[in-house]
Amino acid sequence: MTFLFVVFGWVLFRAQHFDSAIHIYQALIWSRSAGTNGHLDLKLSAIVICIAAALALVLPNTSDLVSRVQSKPVYAVAFGLLAACAVLSLNASESFEFIYFRF
């Protein structure tokens, strides 16, 4: 629920006008008036949600997966190097305008 609240809140900050925010909200809830024919069929959406729910109930969660991994110093060094590369790559990317610069 919190994630959905945040996603719907982002729309208000990113839309140029309130009318475009309404258009984006209609597209988010698959309203047929938002696009030409809507994004997804209701039956297809229900099938995808049922398959995702079944997979979530059957497959192991992250706690089970982590408990299967044996801790070794090699893994710690590898993940440490990966994290360092990720942090250093943040500085290498081009600079973007701050999202709230207009406010």
Side-chain angles (χ1 to χ4, degrees):
M1 292 303 293
T2 304
F3 179 71
L4 290 176
F5 180 76
V6 169
V7 167
F8 276 86
W10 279 337
V11 171
L12 293 174
F13 284 101
R14 296 300 295 167
Q16 295 292 330
H17 305 287
F18 190 72
D19 291 335
S20 55
I22 296 296
H23 183 74
I24 293 171
Y25 283 139
Q26 289 174 344
L28 281 173
I29 59 171
W30 298 332
S31 174
R32 296 223 183 260
S33 63
T36 55
N37 293 328
H39 294 289
L40 290 176
D41 187 20
L42 186 59
K43 290 180 184 178
L44 179 62
S45 300
I47 291 170
V48 169
I49 290 172
C50 289
I51 290 173
L55 288 175
L57 291 174
V58 172
L59 294 176
N61 59 22
T62 54
S63 179
D64 293 337
L65 292 175
V66 169
S67 67
R68 294 179 190 170
V69 176
Q70 297 176 0
S71 59
K72 294 182 181 178
V74 174
Y75 294 151
V77 171
F79 284 124
L81 289 173
L82 183 65
C85 290
V87 170
L88 291 174
S89 70
L90 291 174
N91 193 26
S93 64
E94 65 182 68
S95 177
F96 294 104
E97 182 180 316
F98 186 58
I99 187 172
Y100 302 111
F101 184 71
R102 293 181 282 167
F103 299 110

